[in-house]
Amino acid sequence: MLRIVCIILATAILPAAIRFEEIAAKSGLRFELKNGEAGGFHQIELTLGGVAVLDFDNDGCTDIFFTNGAAIPSLRKTDAKFSNRLFRNNCHLTFTDVTAKTGLAGQGYAMAAASADFDNDGFADLFVAGVKGNTLYRNLGNGRFAERPLPVPETPRWAVSAGWLDYDNDGWLDLFVSNYVEWDAAKEPRCGTSERQYYCHPNAYQGLPNQLFRNNHDGTFTDVSRASGIGALVGKGMGVAFADVDGDGFTDVFVANDSVRGLLFRNLGNGRFAEIALEAGVALRDDGHAIAGMGADLRDLDNDGRPDLVVSGILNDSFLLFRNLGGLNGFEDMAQRTGLLMSTRQLTGWSLGIFDFDNDGWKDIFFALAHLMQLDRYLGREAALPNRVYRNVQGRTLEEERTGLEGAALHRGAAFADFDNDGRVDVVVTAVNGPAKLLRNVTETGGAHWLAVRLRGTRANRQGLGAVVRVHLADGRDLYNHATTAVGYASASEPLVRFGLGSAAAAEWVEIRWPGGPVQRVAGVKADRVVEIVEAARP
């Protein structure tokens, strides 16, 4: 992971620092995440704030959906300030609130959103996870969404994150839900004294198992949590990330847990999963300590074709970075050697994303940051923090960048997309009881090129989620990425598979390993555009 590179290619682009410009207000993206706090120190006030991006109307411009809280303890929406919100991208960096027209206002205390085309009709759908129930919205293709039923457990479970994957490679997206802890406002433990109350540690709550719902191909789902083995382990699930970590053609699942060990579910390919986080070396920090894991992403950071893992944590935890050793060899802890361990020791991270923000061919890391809200009350330390991005310099080091990220807030969810279609990945970030931020990427890339691949499955799922994409350049370099919308914490990003190409104006070929299918190769792909690749017919 981020191995030292002694020879720098002569064709390498060395751009200036990664830079963002905050443009939410002037673009019309006006949303404030309300957690409903009123002095009761309810645990749910800390963890909300997911955001999802999707092109719900297929106009080629990425739209933004925000989840929102509710009044406590009723958890019901009492006025418009607690509404979930959908903003339509007008294609010139302005946004219009279209919530009322689409039927997505919701009701109840929402946490997370997951976007993908679960019914293969060509329109992106939405799943919204919440404290006392979840909602699945089907995109009708006419600018409106309709609720669809999901199997309901005997008692509602507090879900914090969720994501879509085709775990059985049948061409239909299934749903994974990351559940947190048992919570009831009437029975909630109280911590501290009446004069000095504070939010309880997660160890005051009983954890919950995660859930897996199999797509029945007809708009309905079956809960296969127990049969698949997903429901056999109790955790305190937060962020979830998907990738084929062992290269066997089946999508695996990592769950970041709060103050208990992380979980890595290896997909056995027969409908079942084996939990292997300890054996794989990603359950704990290098010293055996379980961190308060929140956000997670699985991406190839060192261009060796294997997805690596980054996990954000709380103050004094440090963030984790694991290099994938390939196959069943597990992972190697690289947080200390790359400098990430010490650099993040005094930070608290929520959502994150691994994307090539400067298009130099090396994926960088963005973190949405904020300490817990009680920190400023009792420790005299500001809870609000500015976000940070770590630039991946030629595979050698991670360099911290803050330009355009200086504003401190109680950041939570973050989603990634190219909102202005200029080839640079932008970020939308939520903040508790504060305005959302739209961070436009204005990095001077020094002439670096880019490529975005829009996959269209025919036998695979329509968006090709789970597909592994390899780009081969004329100078001999190979770049790797995979299709997923589950990124970070409680949030969902665009389904396009993006690459920074450095000085290369074209790819010699682009290779796709479709989920459960053969490898497909397309030659002579020009840079600086979004290219759609349709899955070839199988024999």
PDB file of all heavy atoms in Angstrom, residues 471-508:
ATOM      1  N   VAL A 471      -7.759   0.141 -16.666  1.00  0.00           N
ATOM      2  CA  VAL A 471      -7.380   1.025 -17.763  1.00  0.00           C
ATOM      3  C   VAL A 471      -5.888   0.861 -18.027  1.00  0.00           C
ATOM      4  O   VAL A 471      -5.068   1.016 -17.112  1.00  0.00           O
ATOM      5  CB  VAL A 471      -7.712   2.494 -17.412  1.00  0.00           C
ATOM      6  CG1 VAL A 471      -7.101   3.441 -18.436  1.00  0.00           C
ATOM      7  CG2 VAL A 471      -9.222   2.700 -17.335  1.00  0.00           C
ATOM      8  N   HIS A 472      -5.539   0.539 -19.269  1.00  0.00           N
ATOM      9  CA  HIS A 472      -4.130   0.370 -19.651  1.00  0.00           C
ATOM     10  C   HIS A 472      -3.682   1.548 -20.495  1.00  0.00           C
ATOM     11  O   HIS A 472      -4.325   1.903 -21.492  1.00  0.00           O
ATOM     12  CB  HIS A 472      -3.938  -0.929 -20.427  1.00  0.00           C
ATOM     13  CG  HIS A 472      -2.512  -1.186 -20.803  1.00  0.00           C
ATOM     14  ND1 HIS A 472      -1.551  -1.597 -19.904  1.00  0.00           N
ATOM     15  CD2 HIS A 472      -1.861  -1.062 -22.003  1.00  0.00           C
ATOM     16  CE1 HIS A 472      -0.389  -1.745 -20.510  1.00  0.00           C
ATOM     17  NE2 HIS A 472      -0.549  -1.416 -21.783  1.00  0.00           N
ATOM     18  N   LEU A 473      -2.558   2.181 -20.089  1.00  0.00           N
ATOM     19  CA  LEU A 473      -2.042   3.352 -20.775  1.00  0.00           C
ATOM     20  C   LEU A 473      -0.816   2.999 -21.611  1.00  0.00           C
ATOM     21  O   LEU A 473      -0.156   1.984 -21.382  1.00  0.00           O
ATOM     22  CB  LEU A 473      -1.690   4.440 -19.759  1.00  0.00           C
ATOM     23  CG  LEU A 473      -2.830   4.864 -18.828  1.00  0.00           C
ATOM     24  CD1 LEU A 473      -2.348   5.931 -17.855  1.00  0.00           C
ATOM     25  CD2 LEU A 473      -4.035   5.353 -19.620  1.00  0.00           C
ATOM     26  N   ALA A 474      -0.488   3.871 -22.564  1.00  0.00           N
ATOM     27  CA  ALA A 474       0.606   3.606 -23.509  1.00  0.00           C
ATOM     28  C   ALA A 474       1.955   3.506 -22.822  1.00  0.00           C
ATOM     29  O   ALA A 474       2.864   2.825 -23.323  1.00  0.00           O
ATOM     30  CB  ALA A 474       0.634   4.699 -24.583  1.00  0.00           C
ATOM     31  N   ASP A 475       2.126   4.160 -21.683  1.00  0.00           N
ATOM     32  CA  ASP A 475       3.411   4.108 -20.989  1.00  0.00           C
ATOM     33  C   ASP A 475       3.562   2.853 -20.133  1.00  0.00           C
ATOM     34  O   ASP A 475       4.529   2.714 -19.390  1.00  0.00           O
ATOM     35  CB  ASP A 475       3.624   5.357 -20.139  1.00  0.00           C
ATOM     36  CG  ASP A 475       2.555   5.547 -19.065  1.00  0.00           C
ATOM     37  OD1 ASP A 475       1.803   4.596 -18.790  1.00  0.00           O
ATOM     38  OD2 ASP A 475       2.470   6.653 -18.505  1.00  0.00           O
ATOM     39  N   GLY A 476       2.591   1.951 -20.230  1.00  0.00           N
ATOM     40  CA  GLY A 476       2.677   0.683 -19.513  1.00  0.00           C
ATOM     41  C   GLY A 476       1.935   0.648 -18.197  1.00  0.00           C
ATOM     42  O   GLY A 476       1.800  -0.412 -17.584  1.00  0.00           O
ATOM     43  N   ARG A 477       1.439   1.802 -17.745  1.00  0.00           N
ATOM     44  CA  ARG A 477       0.725   1.827 -16.474  1.00  0.00           C
ATOM     45  C   ARG A 477      -0.654   1.195 -16.599  1.00  0.00           C
ATOM     46  O   ARG A 477      -1.325   1.308 -17.619  1.00  0.00           O
ATOM     47  CB  ARG A 477       0.567   3.261 -15.977  1.00  0.00           C
ATOM     48  CG  ARG A 477       1.836   3.885 -15.418  1.00  0.00           C
ATOM     49  CD  ARG A 477       1.547   5.287 -14.930  1.00  0.00           C
ATOM     50  NE  ARG A 477       1.168   6.172 -16.024  1.00  0.00           N
ATOM     51  CZ  ARG A 477       0.451   7.289 -15.871  1.00  0.00           C
ATOM     52  NH1 ARG A 477       0.012   7.615 -14.664  1.00  0.00           N
ATOM     53  NH2 ARG A 477       0.168   8.044 -16.900  1.00  0.00           N
ATOM     54  N   ASP A 478      -1.072   0.541 -15.512  1.00  0.00           N
ATOM     55  CA  ASP A 478      -2.433   0.031 -15.387  1.00  0.00           C
ATOM     56  C   ASP A 478      -3.088   0.706 -14.191  1.00  0.00           C
ATOM     57  O   ASP A 478      -2.489   0.799 -13.106  1.00  0.00           O
ATOM     58  CB  ASP A 478      -2.436  -1.488 -15.178  1.00  0.00           C
ATOM     59  CG  ASP A 478      -2.083  -2.244 -16.451  1.00  0.00           C
ATOM     60  OD1 ASP A 478      -2.759  -2.030 -17.471  1.00  0.00           O
ATOM     61  OD2 ASP A 478      -1.118  -3.034 -16.419  1.00  0.00           O
ATOM     62  N   LEU A 479      -4.309   1.163 -14.369  1.00  0.00           N
ATOM     63  CA  LEU A 479      -5.089   1.786 -13.311  1.00  0.00           C
ATOM     64  C   LEU A 479      -6.336   0.957 -13.062  1.00  0.00           C
ATOM     65  O   LEU A 479      -6.906   0.390 -14.006  1.00  0.00           O
ATOM     66  CB  LEU A 479      -5.483   3.213 -13.706  1.00  0.00           C
ATOM     67  CG  LEU A 479      -4.352   4.132 -14.164  1.00  0.00           C
ATOM     68  CD1 LEU A 479      -4.903   5.471 -14.633  1.00  0.00           C
ATOM     69  CD2 LEU A 479      -3.332   4.345 -13.043  1.00  0.00           C
ATOM     70  N   TYR A 480      -6.771   0.890 -11.809  1.00  0.00           N
ATOM     71  CA  TYR A 480      -7.881   0.017 -11.446  1.00  0.00           C
ATOM     72  C   TYR A 480      -8.902   0.783 -10.610  1.00  0.00           C
ATOM     73  O   TYR A 480      -8.573   1.650  -9.806  1.00  0.00           O
ATOM     74  CB  TYR A 480      -7.388  -1.177 -10.625  1.00  0.00           C
ATOM     75  CG  TYR A 480      -6.385  -2.068 -11.321  1.00  0.00           C
ATOM     76  CD1 TYR A 480      -5.031  -1.754 -11.315  1.00  0.00           C
ATOM     77  CD2 TYR A 480      -6.795  -3.221 -11.991  1.00  0.00           C
ATOM     78  CE1 TYR A 480      -4.103  -2.566 -11.942  1.00  0.00           C
ATOM     79  CE2 TYR A 480      -5.872  -4.045 -12.619  1.00  0.00           C
ATOM     80  CZ  TYR A 480      -4.527  -3.715 -12.591  1.00  0.00           C
ATOM     81  OH  TYR A 480      -3.607  -4.530 -13.222  1.00  0.00           O
ATOM     82  N   ASN A 481     -10.153   0.413 -10.795  1.00  0.00           N
ATOM     83  CA  ASN A 481     -11.236   0.929  -9.966  1.00  0.00           C
ATOM     84  C   ASN A 481     -12.410  -0.032 -10.110  1.00  0.00           C
ATOM     85  O   ASN A 481     -12.352  -0.968 -10.924  1.00  0.00           O
ATOM     86  CB  ASN A 481     -11.638   2.348 -10.398  1.00  0.00           C
ATOM     87  CG  ASN A 481     -12.236   3.161  -9.261  1.00  0.00           C
ATOM     88  OD1 ASN A 481     -12.643   2.620  -8.240  1.00  0.00           O
ATOM     89  ND2 ASN A 481     -12.288   4.473  -9.441  1.00  0.00           N
ATOM     90  N   HIS A 482     -13.453   0.163  -9.331  1.00  0.00           N
ATOM     91  CA  HIS A 482     -14.627  -0.703  -9.464  1.00  0.00           C
ATOM     92  C   HIS A 482     -15.883   0.122  -9.236  1.00  0.00           C
ATOM     93  O   HIS A 482     -15.851   1.208  -8.664  1.00  0.00           O
ATOM     94  CB  HIS A 482     -14.575  -1.884  -8.493  1.00  0.00           C
ATOM     95  CG  HIS A 482     -14.587  -1.507  -7.048  1.00  0.00           C
ATOM     96  ND1 HIS A 482     -13.459  -1.103  -6.375  1.00  0.00           N
ATOM     97  CD2 HIS A 482     -15.590  -1.456  -6.136  1.00  0.00           C
ATOM     98  CE1 HIS A 482     -13.753  -0.830  -5.114  1.00  0.00           C
ATOM     99  NE2 HIS A 482     -15.049  -1.028  -4.945  1.00  0.00           N
ATOM    100  N   ALA A 483     -16.994  -0.408  -9.714  1.00  0.00           N
ATOM    101  CA  ALA A 483     -18.266   0.304  -9.660  1.00  0.00           C
ATOM    102  C   ALA A 483     -18.974   0.034  -8.344  1.00  0.00           C
ATOM    103  O   ALA A 483     -19.266  -1.112  -8.009  1.00  0.00           O
ATOM    104  CB  ALA A 483     -19.159  -0.121 -10.822  1.00  0.00           C
ATOM    105  N   THR A 484     -19.253   1.105  -7.603  1.00  0.00           N
ATOM    106  CA  THR A 484     -20.013   1.016  -6.368  1.00  0.00           C
ATOM    107  C   THR A 484     -20.570   2.391  -6.049  1.00  0.00           C
ATOM    108  O   THR A 484     -19.964   3.406  -6.406  1.00  0.00           O
ATOM    109  CB  THR A 484     -19.154   0.517  -5.192  1.00  0.00           C
ATOM    110  OG1 THR A 484     -19.957   0.419  -4.007  1.00  0.00           O
ATOM    111  CG2 THR A 484     -17.982   1.446  -4.925  1.00  0.00           C
ATOM    112  N   THR A 485     -21.728   2.438  -5.398  1.00  0.00           N
ATOM    113  CA  THR A 485     -22.252   3.711  -4.917  1.00  0.00           C
ATOM    114  C   THR A 485     -22.119   3.832  -3.405  1.00  0.00           C
ATOM    115  O   THR A 485     -22.343   4.911  -2.846  1.00  0.00           O
ATOM    116  CB  THR A 485     -23.733   3.891  -5.305  1.00  0.00           C
ATOM    117  OG1 THR A 485     -24.515   2.832  -4.741  1.00  0.00           O
ATOM    118  CG2 THR A 485     -23.900   3.894  -6.821  1.00  0.00           C
ATOM    119  N   ALA A 486     -21.775   2.730  -2.712  1.00  0.00           N
ATOM    120  CA  ALA A 486     -21.642   2.737  -1.248  1.00  0.00           C
ATOM    121  C   ALA A 486     -20.255   3.241  -0.883  1.00  0.00           C
ATOM    122  O   ALA A 486     -19.259   2.528  -1.034  1.00  0.00           O
ATOM    123  CB  ALA A 486     -21.864   1.336  -0.696  1.00  0.00           C
ATOM    124  N   VAL A 487     -20.186   4.469  -0.383  1.00  0.00           N
ATOM    125  CA  VAL A 487     -18.913   5.111  -0.079  1.00  0.00           C
ATOM    126  C   VAL A 487     -19.029   5.871   1.231  1.00  0.00           C
ATOM    127  O   VAL A 487     -19.975   6.641   1.424  1.00  0.00           O
ATOM    128  CB  VAL A 487     -18.490   6.092  -1.201  1.00  0.00           C
ATOM    129  CG1 VAL A 487     -17.183   6.778  -0.853  1.00  0.00           C
ATOM    130  CG2 VAL A 487     -18.361   5.363  -2.538  1.00  0.00           C
ATOM    131  N   GLY A 488     -18.088   5.663   2.155  1.00  0.00           N
ATOM    132  CA  GLY A 488     -17.980   6.501   3.336  1.00  0.00           C
ATOM    133  C   GLY A 488     -18.909   6.132   4.462  1.00  0.00           C
ATOM    134  O   GLY A 488     -18.922   5.005   4.949  1.00  0.00           O
ATOM    135  N   TYR A 489     -19.737   7.094   4.881  1.00  0.00           N
ATOM    136  CA  TYR A 489     -20.606   6.945   6.046  1.00  0.00           C
ATOM    137  C   TYR A 489     -22.003   7.425   5.702  1.00  0.00           C
ATOM    138  O   TYR A 489     -22.200   8.597   5.367  1.00  0.00           O
ATOM    139  CB  TYR A 489     -20.053   7.760   7.220  1.00  0.00           C
ATOM    140  CG  TYR A 489     -20.938   7.788   8.447  1.00  0.00           C
ATOM    141  CD1 TYR A 489     -20.888   6.776   9.400  1.00  0.00           C
ATOM    142  CD2 TYR A 489     -21.835   8.832   8.650  1.00  0.00           C
ATOM    143  CE1 TYR A 489     -21.701   6.805  10.521  1.00  0.00           C
ATOM    144  CE2 TYR A 489     -22.645   8.872   9.774  1.00  0.00           C
ATOM    145  CZ  TYR A 489     -22.574   7.854  10.704  1.00  0.00           C
ATOM    146  OH  TYR A 489     -23.391   7.887  11.809  1.00  0.00           O
ATOM    147  N   ALA A 490     -22.982   6.519   5.745  1.00  0.00           N
ATOM    148  CA  ALA A 490     -24.406   6.858   5.606  1.00  0.00           C
ATOM    149  C   ALA A 490     -24.732   7.511   4.271  1.00  0.00           C
ATOM    150  O   ALA A 490     -25.807   8.102   4.125  1.00  0.00           O
ATOM    151  CB  ALA A 490     -24.844   7.770   6.755  1.00  0.00           C
ATOM    152  N   SER A 491     -23.860   7.393   3.284  1.00  0.00           N
ATOM    153  CA  SER A 491     -23.995   8.161   2.052  1.00  0.00           C
ATOM    154  C   SER A 491     -23.787   7.297   0.819  1.00  0.00           C
ATOM    155  O   SER A 491     -23.307   6.166   0.903  1.00  0.00           O
ATOM    156  CB  SER A 491     -23.006   9.331   2.051  1.00  0.00           C
ATOM    157  OG  SER A 491     -23.228  10.194   3.159  1.00  0.00           O
ATOM    158  N   ALA A 492     -24.132   7.868  -0.334  1.00  0.00           N
ATOM    159  CA  ALA A 492     -23.991   7.158  -1.604  1.00  0.00           C
ATOM    160  C   ALA A 492     -23.457   8.112  -2.660  1.00  0.00           C
ATOM    161  O   ALA A 492     -23.895   9.264  -2.745  1.00  0.00           O
ATOM    162  CB  ALA A 492     -25.333   6.582  -2.050  1.00  0.00           C
ATOM    163  N   SER A 493     -22.526   7.626  -3.470  1.00  0.00           N
ATOM    164  CA  SER A 493     -21.888   8.437  -4.498  1.00  0.00           C
ATOM    165  C   SER A 493     -22.296   7.976  -5.889  1.00  0.00           C
ATOM    166  O   SER A 493     -23.028   6.997  -6.057  1.00  0.00           O
ATOM    167  CB  SER A 493     -20.368   8.385  -4.322  1.00  0.00           C
ATOM    168  OG  SER A 493     -19.987   9.021  -3.111  1.00  0.00           O
ATOM    169  N   GLU A 494     -21.823   8.677  -6.900  1.00  0.00           N
ATOM    170  CA  GLU A 494     -22.206   8.368  -8.275  1.00  0.00           C
ATOM    171  C   GLU A 494     -21.724   6.982  -8.675  1.00  0.00           C
ATOM    172  O   GLU A 494     -20.708   6.498  -8.183  1.00  0.00           O
ATOM    173  CB  GLU A 494     -21.633   9.417  -9.233  1.00  0.00           C
ATOM    174  CG  GLU A 494     -20.104   9.432  -9.279  1.00  0.00           C
ATOM    175  CD  GLU A 494     -19.535  10.394 -10.320  1.00  0.00           C
ATOM    176  OE1 GLU A 494     -20.297  11.186 -10.883  1.00  0.00           O
ATOM    177  OE2 GLU A 494     -18.322  10.332 -10.562  1.00  0.00           O
ATOM    178  N   PRO A 495     -22.417   6.309  -9.615  1.00  0.00           N
ATOM    179  CA  PRO A 495     -22.022   4.961 -10.036  1.00  0.00           C
ATOM    180  C   PRO A 495     -20.919   4.933 -11.089  1.00  0.00           C
ATOM    181  O   PRO A 495     -20.390   3.862 -11.388  1.00  0.00           O
ATOM    182  CB  PRO A 495     -23.318   4.390 -10.602  1.00  0.00           C
ATOM    183  CG  PRO A 495     -24.048   5.586 -11.135  1.00  0.00           C
ATOM    184  CD  PRO A 495     -23.709   6.713 -10.187  1.00  0.00           C
ATOM    185  N   LEU A 496     -20.561   6.088 -11.665  1.00  0.00           N
ATOM    186  CA  LEU A 496     -19.519   6.108 -12.689  1.00  0.00           C
ATOM    187  C   LEU A 496     -18.183   5.666 -12.101  1.00  0.00           C
ATOM    188  O   LEU A 496     -17.883   5.929 -10.942  1.00  0.00           O
ATOM    189  CB  LEU A 496     -19.364   7.507 -13.287  1.00  0.00           C
ATOM    190  CG  LEU A 496     -20.320   7.868 -14.440  1.00  0.00           C
ATOM    191  CD1 LEU A 496     -21.749   7.979 -13.938  1.00  0.00           C
ATOM    192  CD2 LEU A 496     -19.889   9.181 -15.092  1.00  0.00           C
ATOM    193  N   VAL A 497     -17.384   5.000 -12.916  1.00  0.00           N
ATOM    194  CA  VAL A 497     -16.061   4.541 -12.501  1.00  0.00           C
ATOM    195  C   VAL A 497     -15.049   5.522 -13.086  1.00  0.00           C
ATOM    196  O   VAL A 497     -14.873   5.586 -14.307  1.00  0.00           O
ATOM    197  CB  VAL A 497     -15.777   3.111 -12.985  1.00  0.00           C
ATOM    198  CG1 VAL A 497     -14.481   2.586 -12.370  1.00  0.00           C
ATOM    199  CG2 VAL A 497     -16.948   2.189 -12.633  1.00  0.00           C
ATOM    200  N   ARG A 498     -14.353   6.268 -12.208  1.00  0.00           N
ATOM    201  CA  ARG A 498     -13.516   7.380 -12.659  1.00  0.00           C
ATOM    202  C   ARG A 498     -12.029   7.077 -12.541  1.00  0.00           C
ATOM    203  O   ARG A 498     -11.593   6.386 -11.622  1.00  0.00           O
ATOM    204  CB  ARG A 498     -13.839   8.646 -11.875  1.00  0.00           C
ATOM    205  CG  ARG A 498     -15.210   9.190 -12.193  1.00  0.00           C
ATOM    206  CD  ARG A 498     -15.436  10.573 -11.635  1.00  0.00           C
ATOM    207  NE  ARG A 498     -16.746  11.059 -12.058  1.00  0.00           N
ATOM    208  CZ  ARG A 498     -16.955  11.746 -13.172  1.00  0.00           C
ATOM    209  NH1 ARG A 498     -15.933  12.058 -13.960  1.00  0.00           N
ATOM    210  NH2 ARG A 498     -18.172  12.143 -13.507  1.00  0.00           N
ATOM    211  N   PHE A 499     -11.273   7.682 -13.475  1.00  0.00           N
ATOM    212  CA  PHE A 499      -9.824   7.536 -13.500  1.00  0.00           C
ATOM    213  C   PHE A 499      -9.181   8.875 -13.836  1.00  0.00           C
ATOM    214  O   PHE A 499      -9.638   9.592 -14.732  1.00  0.00           O
ATOM    215  CB  PHE A 499      -9.390   6.530 -14.568  1.00  0.00           C
ATOM    216  CG  PHE A 499      -9.888   5.137 -14.353  1.00  0.00           C
ATOM    217  CD1 PHE A 499     -11.132   4.749 -14.840  1.00  0.00           C
ATOM    218  CD2 PHE A 499      -9.133   4.211 -13.647  1.00  0.00           C
ATOM    219  CE1 PHE A 499     -11.601   3.465 -14.643  1.00  0.00           C
ATOM    220  CE2 PHE A 499      -9.595   2.922 -13.439  1.00  0.00           C
ATOM    221  CZ  PHE A 499     -10.837   2.543 -13.940  1.00  0.00           C
ATOM    222  N   GLY A 500      -8.127   9.223 -13.111  1.00  0.00           N
ATOM    223  CA  GLY A 500      -7.226  10.265 -13.554  1.00  0.00           C
ATOM    224  C   GLY A 500      -6.145   9.621 -14.402  1.00  0.00           C
ATOM    225  O   GLY A 500      -5.577   8.597 -14.018  1.00  0.00           O
ATOM    226  N   LEU A 501      -5.852  10.194 -15.557  1.00  0.00           N
ATOM    227  CA  LEU A 501      -4.918   9.572 -16.508  1.00  0.00           C
ATOM    228  C   LEU A 501      -3.573  10.269 -16.578  1.00  0.00           C
ATOM    229  O   LEU A 501      -2.695   9.859 -17.353  1.00  0.00           O
ATOM    230  CB  LEU A 501      -5.534   9.540 -17.909  1.00  0.00           C
ATOM    231  CG  LEU A 501      -6.885   8.834 -18.056  1.00  0.00           C
ATOM    232  CD1 LEU A 501      -7.306   8.833 -19.518  1.00  0.00           C
ATOM    233  CD2 LEU A 501      -6.829   7.414 -17.517  1.00  0.00           C
ATOM    234  N   GLY A 502      -3.366  11.334 -15.781  1.00  0.00           N
ATOM    235  CA  GLY A 502      -2.117  12.069 -15.906  1.00  0.00           C
ATOM    236  C   GLY A 502      -1.986  12.665 -17.291  1.00  0.00           C
ATOM    237  O   GLY A 502      -2.914  13.271 -17.821  1.00  0.00           O
ATOM    238  N   SER A 503      -0.841  12.492 -17.932  1.00  0.00           N
ATOM    239  CA  SER A 503      -0.596  13.103 -19.238  1.00  0.00           C
ATOM    240  C   SER A 503      -1.162  12.298 -20.391  1.00  0.00           C
ATOM    241  O   SER A 503      -1.107  12.742 -21.545  1.00  0.00           O
ATOM    242  CB  SER A 503       0.913  13.261 -19.443  1.00  0.00           C
ATOM    243  OG  SER A 503       1.548  11.984 -19.416  1.00  0.00           O
ATOM    244  N   ALA A 504      -1.723  11.121 -20.124  1.00  0.00           N
ATOM    245  CA  ALA A 504      -2.225  10.255 -21.203  1.00  0.00           C
ATOM    246  C   ALA A 504      -3.526  10.808 -21.778  1.00  0.00           C
ATOM    247  O   ALA A 504      -4.498  11.010 -21.053  1.00  0.00           O
ATOM    248  CB  ALA A 504      -2.435   8.845 -20.685  1.00  0.00           C
ATOM    249  N   ALA A 505      -3.547  11.050 -23.091  1.00  0.00           N
ATOM    250  CA  ALA A 505      -4.729  11.596 -23.760  1.00  0.00           C
ATOM    251  C   ALA A 505      -5.697  10.519 -24.202  1.00  0.00           C
ATOM    252  O   ALA A 505      -6.743  10.827 -24.799  1.00  0.00           O
ATOM    253  CB  ALA A 505      -4.301  12.435 -24.962  1.00  0.00           C
ATOM    254  N   ALA A 506      -5.339   9.269 -23.942  1.00  0.00           N
ATOM    255  CA  ALA A 506      -6.212   8.156 -24.305  1.00  0.00           C
ATOM    256  C   ALA A 506      -5.774   6.922 -23.528  1.00  0.00           C
ATOM    257  O   ALA A 506      -4.647   6.855 -23.015  1.00  0.00           O
ATOM    258  CB  ALA A 506      -6.165   7.877 -25.805  1.00  0.00           C
ATOM    259  N   ALA A 507      -6.666   5.979 -23.445  1.00  0.00           N
ATOM    260  CA  ALA A 507      -6.331   4.668 -22.896  1.00  0.00           C
ATOM    261  C   ALA A 507      -6.153   3.701 -24.048  1.00  0.00           C
ATOM    262  O   ALA A 507      -6.956   3.690 -24.989  1.00  0.00           O
ATOM    263  CB  ALA A 507      -7.445   4.182 -21.977  1.00  0.00           C
ATOM    264  N   GLU A 508      -5.073   2.916 -23.995  1.00  0.00           N
ATOM    265  CA  GLU A 508      -4.888   1.914 -25.049  1.00  0.00           C
ATOM    266  C   GLU A 508      -6.047   0.930 -25.060  1.00  0.00           C
ATOM    267  O   GLU A 508      -6.514   0.529 -26.117  1.00  0.00           O
ATOM    268  CB  GLU A 508      -3.558   1.179 -24.862  1.00  0.00           C
ATOM    269  CG  GLU A 508      -2.347   1.995 -25.254  1.00  0.00           C
ATOM    270  CD  GLU A 508      -1.169   1.124 -25.646  1.00  0.00           C
ATOM    271  OE1 GLU A 508      -1.118  -0.052 -25.213  1.00  0.00           O
ATOM    272  OE2 GLU A 508      -0.316   1.604 -26.414  1.00  0.00           O
TER     273      GLU A 508
END
